[in-house]
Each structure stands twice: as structure tokens, then as C-alpha cells.
Amino acid sequence: PSLIVVPAAVLYNWEAEFQRFAPWMHIAVVQGKPQERRALLEVSGYEVLLTTYSLLQRDLAYYLQCEFQCVFLDEAQHIKNPLTKSAKAAKSLRSVCRFALTGTPVENNLMELWSVFDFILPGYLMQYERFKTVFEVPIVQENNRAMAEELKHRIRPFLLRRMKAAVLKELPEKLEQPWLCDMSARQKKLYAAYLAQSRKEFRQLMAESDGGQKSMTIFALLTRLRQIACDPGMFLDDYEGRSGKLEALLEIVPAAIEG
């Protein structure tokens, strides 16, 4: 059989799509209590097994007994961190071929791209430490365009990218209209206070922390400031003041709906 691993939220959507496009295929949705899942996995004859990332981890011992024709990962960014249980479970599966479906192969760093390729083509992009030395550090830290092109050249034969224009031709081009709005007075004061605190934490961080912890903490500081700029209520539960962006949004949306 083939195995498809998906986020829990779309498990039954995948089942519905099979019923719509391939109703003749014998599929099993591996869901429910442990004994129910075990009973399904012990039945032979299924062409496709559908499960979730969390259930894959729980039932991994059963899946390791099989060699699948194909393994598909939907929303493959679930394995972008190679140290997670989801990534380790997916990469331990035995199969003839593998596919990874994702709209965000890279969100934060090139390790995420490496981890996805480590699933579909183990070893093709080397071990991570070697990949980091050859590609990630030169590209990210040194802005080495030659190595960036080399990496693109290596991965291009294995990527199938669907563009909106090719999939949904009836959709019009996306229109972007910048809308500048100011923060409310209280929001400005709150933002200025957290900005000063973040600068202090940043200077202390640069003097003390190592690389990995430093990056995560800086990202958290920037996220906090971004939340306050959007609406302090995203960060502070007891915030009762106004938000410039939220007020602008409430003005734009009704007009957009009418249009």
C-alpha cells in the first residue's frame, strides 16, 4: 500500500477527495482509539492508508513492519525541524518512493529545506553539518550568490511548483494597496516602552548568548513588537485601548465587501 500522512484538520478532507477523484480505490482512514487503529493496520488489502502526524508517532511500530509503495507527507513543514518526533518518525518509514507537499519549504532557515530533502532523498544534500558548511553559512551569512545558485540547481529537478496562474486561471491578479495607519496614543506609549526594553535585552543577548539561542530570542522580541504594532490585545490580555491597525481594518473590510 501507500501511506499518506496529513495534519489532523484535513484528514477527512483527504478521504473526501479520494471518494471524489478515485472512488474505486480501497483506502483506510487510520483514526480512533488504539485498538481501532490496530485493527485497521492488521487488515491487508488496502491500497492507501491515511493517518496524521501525531498518530504516525503512536503507531510507528506497526508502520515499520511495512514497506510502502509511496509515502506522501502533506504540509511537509511538519518535519522542517529534523529533531522533532514527527520528522524522525516520517524518515524512519520504508518506501519505494517519497513525496513531500508543502507551500512553505523554507520559512526561517535553510535547515528546513534540508530536512524535507532528507525525507524525500536521504543523503542527497549530505549530512546536515556538511550542508551547513557548504551551503547554509555561505548563503545566509556571507550572501554567496554562487552557492545559492548551486543549491537551486541541485534541488530544481526534484521540485514541482504549482503557480496560481496555472491552477486557477479564472482568478484575477492579486492587487496590493498599501494602507498606512498610525498607532493610537496609548499604543505608541506601549510600543515605545517595549522597544526600549527589547533594545536592552538585545544588547545583553549579543554579549552573552550563543548563536541558536540568540536567534530564537531575537525572533521572539521582534514578534512581540509586531504584535503590539498590530494590536496590543494580541500580546496583552488586559489591554483595553485602541489599535490604529484594527480601526483601519474595520473601516476597510466593509468597503471591500461592498465592492
Side-chain angles (χ1 to χ4, degrees), residues 7 17 19 24 26-27 33 45 51 62 66 71-72 82 84 93 119 143 147 161 165 172 175 177-178 203 234 236 257:
E17 293 297 288
Q19 292 173 353
W24 60 86
H26 196 199
I27 69 170
K33 298 179 180 179
T51 192
Y62 292 91
C66 303
V71 174
F72 296 83
T84 61
L93 298 169
F119 166 74
N143 196 27
M147 294 310 300
R161 187 182 182 191
L175 301 177
Q177 179 181 354
R203 287 192 291 267
M234 297 175 65
L236 301 172
I257 293 174

Side-chain angles (χ1 to χ4, degrees), residues 4-7 10 14 53 56 71-88 90-91 98-107 111-120 159:
I4 302 178
V5 186
V6 306
V10 298
W14 269 84
Y53 285 95
L56 172 65
V71 174
F72 296 83
L73 299 188
D74 187 24
E75 301 293 346
Q77 61 269 24
H78 279 75
I79 67 163
K80 65 183 182 181
N81 183 343
L83 302 179
T84 61
K85 292 181 179 179
S86 290
K88 292 178 179 179
K91 295 176 183 182
R98 298 176 173 187
F99 296 87
L101 314 177
T102 177
T104 51
V106 178
E107 289 183 283
M111 180 181 69
E112 299 169 354
L113 177 68
W114 176 88
S115 186
V116 174
F117 263 83
D118 189 46
F119 166 74
I120 58 173
L159 297 181

Side-chain angles (χ1 to χ4, degrees), residues 54-225:
S54 60
L55 293 180
L56 172 65
Q57 299 172 35
R58 298 177 192 176
D59 302 328
L60 185 60
Y62 292 91
Y63 291 114
L64 292 180
Q65 299 174 20
C66 303
E67 181 172 359
F68 297 99
Q69 181 64 31
C70 296
V71 174
F72 296 83
L73 299 188
D74 187 24
E75 301 293 346
Q77 61 269 24
H78 279 75
I79 67 163
K80 65 183 182 181
N81 183 343
L83 302 179
T84 61
K85 292 181 179 179
S86 290
K88 292 178 179 179
K91 295 176 183 182
S92 67
L93 298 169
R94 295 183 298 128
S95 62
V96 177
C97 60
R98 298 176 173 187
F99 296 87
L101 314 177
T102 177
T104 51
V106 178
E107 289 183 283
N108 302 307
N109 53 61
L110 287 179
M111 180 181 69
E112 299 169 354
L113 177 68
W114 176 88
S115 186
V116 174
F117 263 83
D118 189 46
F119 166 74
I120 58 173
L121 291 169
Y124 179 69
L125 290 183
M126 304 168 284
Q127 296 299 311
Y128 176 64
E129 289 304 320
R130 179 63 177 162
F131 173 83
K132 182 177 181 180
T133 301
V134 174
F135 290 109
E136 188 171 13
V137 171
I139 293 172
V140 177
Q141 298 184 13
E142 302 169 8
N143 196 27
N144 189 320
R145 295 183 179 275
M147 294 310 300
E149 289 300 319
E150 172 63 21
L151 180 58
K152 289 181 182 179
H153 178 73
R154 288 199 182 194
I155 67 176
R156 188 175 292 118
F158 307 101
L159 297 181
L160 175 61
R161 187 182 182 191
R162 297 197 309 166
M163 305 296 289
K164 183 190 74 172
V167 179
L168 296 172
K169 298 181 180 180
E170 68 275 15
L171 288 181
E173 290 296 319
K174 181 172 69 173
L175 301 177
E176 295 186 7
Q177 179 181 354
W179 190 284
L180 301 179
C181 53
D182 201 2
M183 287 186 277
S184 67
R186 185 178 179 187
Q187 189 179 11
K188 282 183 179 179
K189 292 181 180 179
L190 189 62
Y191 186 90
Y194 273 95
L195 178 61
Q197 179 180 333
S198 297
R199 283 175 171 166
K200 181 179 179 181
E201 293 181 28
F202 175 77
R203 287 192 291 267
Q204 182 178 357
L205 187 70
M206 296 300 289
E208 298 177 358
S209 297
D210 59 21
Q213 181 63 34
K214 187 184 299 182
S215 298
M216 294 301 298
T217 306
I218 292 173
F219 181 73
L221 293 175
L222 293 173
T223 300
R224 179 195 304 169
L225 291 171

Side-chain angles (χ1 to χ4, degrees), residues 7-18:
V10 298
L11 179 63
Y12 290 103
N13 181 64
W14 269 84
E15 181 188 26
E17 293 297 288
F18 266 102

